């Protein structure tokens, strides 16, 4: 049976414009679930249903196929079921749809693998995600009325302690898997049904109960960052032009070159060095005088015709694995380095091909705090590594 992952990502949003591709912890929101779906390895195809060109571009960057939905199912009043049924009408090869919500950035491949087993091997017709909550419910009463509220799931005289109560299961909306025959009848849940209980820390729904800064912290703590396990970063290599500087070169009347940099980036570099992380620089042009004037005290390679070769030489000399190296670049010449490094980033104004190759896209532009921002991102992920070690 052909199992397809389908992420619905309409361009319109009442709250945040183009929310589905807004950067969350350096990754477009939709990218978190697409990464999980593709790495799960259980889907015969991974799709994004959208009506917007920019969302289509991001979806393809993350390896998904795109179904261009019609205006009829792209309205504020359109339902998920309508969009899924339209998708099935155009893709007759699909037998089972795993509808994954774009606003659930802490979804992990392991969850999707187990759900695929439930529906493919154990014969369930539909499977949906739930989370366990320990919340006491009370009946709603109208204001000004004489009716009193009543407890719904507790005895006030004998309130449960959390550890003595199993709690209740609530849909969290992360995903709904269903077979074609159910969807064609107008159901996402039906037939032989099963729920899949997700861990509470992975049950993040930006649409319902969380705002963007809190969501970023949750994702950095509990999100899925790829197949390779995170390791402690020991070296940051940074391209000079367009990352440490804004890429502009000023020429005086006496033909001297000048560049500008942001002092926040210098602070970020010093924080990394204090944290035991080496920082090195690389440039395709000879900017040794500029580096000398900055007095950074870091090793640098200028006039580098092959940045990847320089990076490989440093990696071997220092005895590091690629997962222990972070790279910040912004041009086509940085692409291979971005792909090799265990952690990669680009400034907000990096070229398109560099952005496609990076794991983190800064909010700041080159020469305007991007190095400091990427340094903070490294520290955040190091916290995640240390937390995993303690566990």
């Amino acid at each position: 049976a052909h199992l397809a992952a389908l992420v619905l990502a309409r361009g319109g949003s009442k709250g945040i414009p183009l929310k589905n591709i807004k950067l969350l912890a350096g990754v477009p929101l939709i990218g978190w679930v697409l990464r999980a779906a593709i790495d799960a390895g259980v889907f015969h195809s991974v799709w994004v249903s959208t009506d917007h060109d920019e969302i289509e571009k991001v979806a393809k960057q993350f390896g998904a196929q795109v179904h261009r939905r019609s205006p009829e199912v792209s309205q504020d009043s359109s339902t998920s079921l309508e969009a899924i049924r339209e998708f099935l009408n155009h893709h007759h090869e699909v037998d089972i749809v795993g509808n994954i919500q774009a606003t659930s950035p802490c979804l992990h491949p392991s969850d999707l693998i187990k759900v695929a087993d439930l529906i493919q091997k154990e014969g369930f017709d539909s499977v949906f995600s739930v989370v366990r909550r320990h919340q006491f419910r009370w009946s709603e009463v109208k204001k000004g009325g004489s009716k009193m509220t009543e407890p719904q799931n507790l005895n006030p005289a004998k309130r449960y302690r959390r550890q003595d109560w199993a709690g209740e299961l609530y849909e969290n909306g992360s995903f709904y898997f269903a077979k074609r025959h159910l969807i064609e009848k107008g159901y996402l849940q039906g037939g032989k049904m099963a729920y899949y209980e997700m861990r509470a820390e992975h049950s993040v729904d930006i649409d319902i109960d969380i705002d963007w800064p809190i969501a970023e912290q949750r994702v950095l703590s509990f999100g899925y960052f790829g197949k390779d396990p995170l390791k402690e970063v020991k070296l940051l290599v940074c391209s000079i032009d367009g990352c440490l500087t804004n890429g502009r070169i000023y020429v005086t009347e006496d033909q001297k070159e000048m560049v500008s940099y942001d002092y926040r980036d210098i602070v970020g570099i010093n924080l990394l060095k204090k944290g035991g992380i080496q920082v090195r620089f690389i440039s395709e042009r000879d900017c040794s005088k500029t580096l000398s004037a900055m007095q950074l005290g870091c090793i640098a390679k200028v006039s580098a015709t092959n940045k990847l070769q320089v990076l490989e030489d440093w990696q071997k000399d220092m005895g590091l694995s690629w997962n222990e190296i972070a790279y910040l670049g912004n041009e086509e010449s940085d692409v291979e380095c971005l792909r090799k490094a265990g952690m990669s980033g680009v400034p907000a104004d990096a070229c398109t091909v560099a952005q496609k190759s990076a794991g983190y896209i800064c909010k700041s532009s080159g020469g305007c705090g991007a190095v400091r921002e990427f340094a903070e991102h490294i520290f955040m992920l190091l916290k995640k590594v240390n937390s995993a070690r303690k566990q």
Side-chain angles (χ1 to χ4, degrees), residues 109-226:
S110 56
D111 295 321
L112 298 172
I113 292 168
K114 292 172 184 175
V115 173
D117 283 346
L118 285 172
I119 204 162
Q120 287 183 313
K121 296 180 180 179
E122 298 189 31
F124 287 97
D125 296 311
S126 59
V127 184
F128 53 93
S129 57
V130 299
V131 65
R132 190 174 299 274
R133 292 179 180 167
H134 295 77
Q135 295 175 320
F136 294 130
R137 291 182 289 107
W138 293 78
S139 63
E140 185 176 353
V141 295
K142 293 182 179 179
K143 292 182 179 180
S146 58
K147 188 177 179 182
M148 294 172 54
T149 186
E150 297 286 342
Q152 297 291 300
N153 61 350
L154 77 151
N155 179 353
K158 295 181 180 180
R159 292 174 64 92
Y160 298 114
R161 295 187 307 165
R162 182 182 177 90
Q163 59 267 38
D164 296 332
W165 183 37
E168 296 180 331
L169 298 177
Y170 291 81
E171 286 186 28
N172 67 357
S174 286
F175 53 76
Y176 296 87
F177 282 57
K179 292 182 177 177
R180 173 185 279 271
H181 70 86
L182 271 180
I183 297 169
E184 289 177 340
K185 291 177 181 177
Y187 300 101
L188 276 178
Q189 296 159 299
K192 184 181 177 183
M193 289 185 289
Y195 63 77
Y196 177 82
E197 184 177 347
M198 287 179 60
R199 292 167 57 180
E201 58 268 31
H202 293 169
S203 184
V204 174
D205 186 350
I206 291 175
D207 267 347
I208 295 175
D209 58 2
I210 201 162
D211 61 26
W212 215 262
I214 296 173
E216 288 193 322
Q217 296 300 317
R218 290 280 294 274
V219 167
L220 288 169
S221 298
F222 305 114
Y224 171 72
F225 286 83

Side-chain angles (χ1 to χ4, degrees), residues 106 140 194 320-321:
C106 286
E140 185 176 353
L320 300 177
S321 70

Side-chain angles (χ1 to χ4, degrees), residues 2 32 40 43-44 55 57 77 89-90 98 162 179 185 195 237 308 327 370 387:
H2 185 114
W32 289 101
F43 297 102
H44 297 91
I55 296 176
K57 185 196 301 185
S77 58
N89 288 337
H90 287 82
R162 182 182 177 90
K179 292 182 177 177
K185 291 177 181 177
Y195 63 77
V237 178
L308 180 59
Y327 191 93
S387 175

Side-chain angles (χ1 to χ4, degrees), residues 6 25 55 61 76 86 108 142 166 186 223 277 280 289 302 312 373 390:
L6 178 63
I55 296 176
Q61 285 177 9
D76 287 341
E86 182 197 68
H108 281 240
K142 293 182 179 179
I277 299 172
R280 296 187 178 187
K289 290 183 179 179
V302 298
E312 288 176 340
E373 182 183 337
K390 290 177 182 178

Side-chain angles (χ1 to χ4, degrees), residues 47-50 65-70 83 86-87 90-91:
W47 294 84
V48 171
S49 169
T50 187
Q65 300 180 70
V66 173
H67 169 76
R68 288 299 293 229
R69 65 164 76 177
S70 66
E86 182 197 68
F87 168 79
H90 287 82
H91 298 281

